[in-house]
DNA sequence: TAGATTGTTAATCGATTAACAATC
DNA sequence: TAGATTGTTAATCGATTAACAATC
């Protein structure tokens, strides 16, 4: 792995990874960048370059890369090898869906619990995950050194929730609300912006 | 509105739009690109350029753009002005959450119904939206000329669902599963890829 | 009038694509 | 050996940033 992997490359890596895991299960040992490119409708050169940025070992000319090696390299690059604990705030429909989704384990993400201000929800469990009150959640965050918060609260409360989480020590926020969040420089926000996706889809459909 | 608006600009427009609607409610008449840039931590020149690509009217030097005019221009550009009907397939937790989300109306999206192969769900309603069987859904798609499909089914079924929808006449797919979908050239797919977001977040957090 | 903000043209920057030597 | 695929250096392309004249 070299330094400064472009954002675009990082976004493509999870796709490659899923594909590699699939073919690894099919006992395929080696893969060339050309094969990956064909599968995803990308140019072979692009894939080649992406892999060269990530791969710790050199690919073998005429043969390609050892699949299992590549999987390991991508996982290390994306930090999937060390589990990150997260707390989810706002146990509505979307929040419940995310709490119940088992697939995050594959991405190095472990949602340890939920938090909600609704007293009727506090103390209950969703898919085996406890729902905490803000007070108890704050203690949990500090005790477990949880650095990542997932916000699925109503948009109107998003900023307050965000401030609360950062105050408790969080350094990363995964924001599922349409609200624009203001955070200090040392905190990272990733917006899961459906409006953005929908805008792209809308424009793409319009063109036809 | 000029031709060929860059993808990046399109992705920023919904953010601007939400902000503009907010300040429009506060009786603010004019806005400058500088003010928008400050709010979103973007460079003023970038915002200026984005707006110039979208705005039908010229901004007034020293004053800025008429907020309501700008709102209208962005909505037209993003196609929010004409409602698009959509059918959602896979009424699990995530599917139910999306069916219940009222905010899509603001983005020109109207989810008319759900579809599920589970007979226990067929005929029920989620937030006032009927759940159809595949057979009945196919008739509905054709009768209403629904062009947009939202896939929240299990990943293993995603490709089959996708093929089914395209076969029924759909031209756009909003894919919430991690599966990679193969589609004909005249069909547009937008992946709502949580793995991608998580990868970025993970790498950003790692750097600290 | 002076000055803030616009629209537009030019420069920079970074990602993608092309070209090509190296190698199993 | 011949040829497919790699790694790397150079060219292209498009988005962002800078510069500056126009204008209310």
């Amino acid at each position: 792995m070299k330094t400064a992997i472009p954002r675009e490359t990082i976004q493509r890596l999870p796709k490659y990874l899923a594909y590699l895991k699939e073919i690894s299960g099919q006992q395929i040992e080696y893969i060339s960048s050309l094969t990956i490119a064909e599968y995803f409708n990308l140019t072979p050169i692009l894939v080649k370059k992406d892999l060269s940025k990530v791969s710790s070992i050199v690919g073998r000319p005429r043969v390609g890369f050892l699949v299992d090696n590549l999987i390991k390299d991508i996982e290390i690059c994306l930090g999937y090898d060390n589990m990150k604990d997260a707390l989810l705030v706002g146990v509505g429909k979307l929040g419940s869906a995310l709490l119940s989704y088992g697939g995050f384990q594959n991405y190095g993400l472990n949602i340890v619990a939920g938090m909600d201000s609704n007293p009727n929800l506090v103390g209950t469990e969703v898919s085996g995950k406890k729902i905490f009150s803000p007070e108890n959640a704050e203690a949990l965050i500090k005790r477990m050194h949880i650095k990542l918060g997932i916000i699925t609260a109503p948009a109107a409360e998003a900023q307050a929730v965000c401030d609360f989480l950062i105050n408790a020590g969080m350094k990363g926020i995964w924001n599922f609300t349409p609200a624009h969040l203001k955070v200090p420089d040392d905190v990272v926000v990733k917006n899961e912006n459906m409006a953005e996706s929908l805008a792209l889809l809308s424009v793409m459909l319009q063109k036809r």
Side-chain angles (χ1 to χ4, degrees), chain A:
Chain A
M1 175 169 41
K2 319 285 154 54
T3 48
I5 298 176
R7 182 198 173 89
E8 283 79 4
T9 297
I10 291 169
Q11 289 180 319
R12 282 186 294 267
L13 289 177
K15 295 203 295 183
Y16 300 166
L17 184 59
Y19 175 62
L20 291 171
K21 281 186 173 173
E22 192 189 319
I23 62 169
S24 171
Q26 293 162 13
Q27 320 296 333
I28 295 171
E29 247 193 310
Y30 283 90
I31 187 81
S32 75
S33 35
L34 185 74
T35 312
I36 298 178
E38 269 173 3
Y39 184 76
F40 289 112
N41 265 322
L42 298 171
T43 65
I45 316 143
L46 185 65
V47 176
K48 195 167 41 151
K49 204 133 219 193
D50 282 344
L51 295 186
S52 80
K53 276 170 191 145
V54 172
S55 174
S56 59
I57 39 107
V58 286
R60 286 172 56 186
R62 208 180 134 72
V63 182
F65 296 84
L66 201 55
V67 174
D68 289 341
N69 241 313
L70 215 43
I71 290 176
K72 216 165 291 172
D73 284 335
I74 294 178
E75 285 183 335
I76 290 170
C77 177
L78 295 179
Y80 289 179
D81 51 331
N82 67 332
M83 273 290 159
K84 282 167 289 293
D85 287 332
L87 178 84
L88 181 143
V89 181
V91 189
K93 295 207 176 196
L94 179 60
S96 299
L98 294 182
L99 280 176
S100 305
Y101 180 56
F104 288 137
Q105 292 285 338
N106 300 325
Y107 308 138
L109 182 72
N110 178 37
I111 307 182
V112 294
M115 165 185 140
D116 207 293
S117 56
N118 181 344
N120 295 328
L121 290 172
V122 172
T124 64
E125 286 195 355
V126 174
S127 297
K129 283 167 184 168
K130 266 216 174 118
I131 312 304
F132 287 79
S133 68
E135 300 75 45
N136 290 339
E138 189 172 5
L140 184 77
I141 294 166
K142 288 178 175 164
R143 180 156 46 82
M144 291 187 67
H145 302 290
I146 301 175
K147 294 285 173 247
L148 185 60
I150 303 172
I151 303 183
T152 49
E157 296 170 22
Q159 184 66 59
V161 167
C162 179
D163 294 343
F164 171 86
L165 294 177
I166 291 170
N167 193 50
M170 294 218 172
K171 294 297 177 196
I173 300 289
W174 200 6
N175 176 27
F176 281 80
T177 80
H180 169 75
L181 299 177
K182 301 233 178 233
V183 299
D185 284 344
D186 65 330
V187 173
V188 163
V189 176
K190 181 75 188 77
N191 296 298
E192 198 64 32
N193 201 333
M194 296 210 228
E196 198 176 281
S197 298
L198 202 45
L200 268 175
L201 193 58
S202 180
V203 170
M204 289 190 289
L205 275 171
Q206 243 178 337
K207 276 201 204 126
R208 290 149 199 282

